[in-house]
Structures are given as C-alpha cells and as structure tokens.
C-alpha cells in the first residue's frame, strides 16, 4: 500500500509561559504567555484554560483566582489561521496554603496564688482562619487549663508554659504560640519578741 502524508508548510507559533507559584488569597498573580511566529512577535490573543476551573479560575488577561490550594495546569492556545498552525503551551500553577500567625499580648505573666485563675487568649491573623484553637499547659505546680477557653486555674506556686495551637486546615498552615505564667506567693515573715536586760545585744530571728 502507498500512503500519502501531507505536512503543513505553515509556521507553528512558539509559545513561552513560566510556571507560577502563589499563596491562597493572592489577588495579583497572573500567567503571561508570549509567542513568536517565524521569529516575529505574536500580537494576537491567547485562549487560556484551567485544568480545574472550579478551584482555579483564569480570565482572558491571565489573572488567577484560587478557591483551594493545590497544583493546577493552565494552558495557553493559539488557533490556526490561514498563515500559521495552531499551537498550545501549558504551565504549572502551584497555590500554597496561607500562613496563620498567633500572638499573645503578654509573653510573661506573674500572678499570685490567691488570684486562683488567669485567662489570656491568643490573637489570630488573619481573622479568616477556619480552624479551632486549642490550649495546653506544661510546667510545675498545680496549674490546669481549659483547652477551649484558655482559662488557667492554680492553687500553688509554679512556672508554666501555656501553648496555643492552630491546626493546619485546607486553606491554612498550622502554627503555635506560647507564653509563660509564673505563680508566686507572698511570704509571711515572723520575728519573735524578746526581753532584754540593759546592756544585752539583740539579734532578731526572722523566719518565713
């Protein structure tokens, strides 16, 4: 059998497009395809498509909008005309989770035993963080903590570290923050009365 093969003599556009790395929530990231045809710059339009348009949208200008962090593909295509062939090129768009930052207003707190309790909750940035903060305590003394409310209760002296934990979620990277709670007590000082004869020296005995 004989086969006839037709090879187009029309030039094929050469498309260039760099991979993009962004963070979920970014609003200023785009894909920017360029192309040449037979060494000349291509001035026409590209058709841009996302591999997952539900979670990563790309508009006609290449601007990216992401609903869920992940790895996606964006393809730029040039349609065939009477003077050049069709062409397409893809790039990888990596969308990272957003970092959550936890801070305490006070990183070292001193309370007295008679206070009995203390509560300091953590500050969360950004406020859109969608996880549930939990608290735990370690150290010396009798202190205990409510894992949900951060309320610490104590009946004796001790040095404690309170740690807030933000777990990783679909949109955010997890993080932790800590503060130190020192529980102290006021000493009772006792000085015994003494009766002295004239000329005697008194050196008080102090206890407590």
């Amino acid at each position: 059998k004989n086969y006839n093969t037709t090879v187009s003599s029309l030039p094929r556009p050469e498309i260039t497009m760099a991979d993009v790395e962004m963070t979920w929530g970014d609003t200023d990231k785009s894909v920017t395809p360029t192309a040449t045809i037979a060494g000349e710059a291509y001035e026409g339009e590209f058709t841009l498509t996302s591999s997952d348009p539900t979670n990563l949208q790309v508009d006609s200008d290449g601007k990216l909008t992401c609903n869920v962090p992940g790895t996606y593909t964006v393809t730029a295509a040039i349609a065939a005309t009477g003077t050049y062939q069709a062409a397409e090129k893809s790039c990888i768009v990596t969308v990272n989770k957003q970092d959550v930052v936890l801070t305490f207003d006070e990183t070292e707190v001193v309370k007295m035993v008679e206070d009995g309790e203390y509560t300091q909750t953590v500050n969360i940035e950004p406020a859109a963080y969608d996880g549930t903060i939990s608290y735990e305590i370690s150290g010396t003394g009798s202190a205990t903590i409510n894992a949900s409310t951060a309320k610490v209760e104590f009946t004796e002296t001790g040095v404690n570290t309170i740690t807030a934990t933000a777990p990783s979620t679909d949109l955010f990277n997890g993080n932790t923050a800590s503060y130190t709670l020192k529980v102290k007590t006021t000493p009772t000082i006792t000085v015994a009365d003494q009766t002295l004869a004239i000329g005697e020296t008194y050196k008080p005995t102090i206890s407590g």
Side-chain angles (χ1 to χ4, degrees):
K1 292 183 179 181
N2 295 320
Y3 295 91
N4 293 321
T5 302
T6 301
V7 178
S8 174
S9 60
L10 298 178
R12 184 186 302 277
E14 296 291 335
I15 303 175
T16 302
M17 185 165 53
D19 293 340
V20 177
E21 184 171 0
M22 60 187 288
T23 299
W24 177 80
D26 284 348
T27 58
D28 59 347
K29 299 295 184 179
S30 300
V31 292
T32 53
T34 60
T36 59
I37 301 175
E40 298 293 327
Y42 170 70
E43 303 295 342
E45 295 184 353
F46 295 89
T47 299
L48 299 172
T49 56
S50 167
S51 60
D52 185 353
T54 299
N55 291 318
L56 181 76
Q57 295 85 46
V58 56
D59 68 12
S60 59
D61 295 323
K63 183 178 179 180
L64 298 167
T65 304
C66 182
N67 295 331
V68 179
T71 302
Y72 306 92
T73 300
V74 172
T75 300
I78 297 174
T81 70
T83 56
Y84 53 80
Q85 300 181 57
E88 66 177 34
K89 178 76 173 182
S90 296
C91 73
I92 301 298
V93 177
T94 303
V95 184
N96 299 311
K97 294 182 181 182
Q98 192 174 145
D99 290 333
V100 61
V101 178
L102 304 181
T103 58
F104 283 104
D105 290 336
E106 297 182 83
T107 56
E108 183 169 297
V109 176
V110 177
K111 304 300 290 184
M112 306 306 291
V113 169
E114 51 266 32
D115 292 329
E117 63 182 52
Y118 176 73
T119 301
Q120 181 181 193
T121 56
V122 76
N123 305 307
I124 308 167
E125 183 66 32
Y129 172 69
D130 56 348
T132 301
I133 303 294
S134 62
Y135 298 88
E136 60 182 4
I137 191 169
S138 61
T140 61
S142 64
T144 60
I145 194 168
N146 184 306
S148 299
T149 67
K151 180 180 179 180
V152 180
E153 296 181 288
F154 43 82
T155 58
E156 60 185 75
T157 60
V159 179
N160 309 278
T161 299
I162 289 81
T163 301
T165 299
S168 179
T169 70
D170 289 343
L171 303 178
F172 294 90
N173 290 313
N175 208 344
T176 63
S178 300
Y179 77 92
T180 300
L181 173 64
K182 297 180 179 180
V183 181
K184 298 185 177 183
T185 187
T186 302
T188 301
I189 299 175
T190 302
V191 180
D193 294 337
Q194 296 288 332
T195 301
L196 301 177
I198 296 174
E200 286 186 329
T201 300
Y202 170 50
K203 183 177 182 181
T205 299
I206 301 174
S207 61

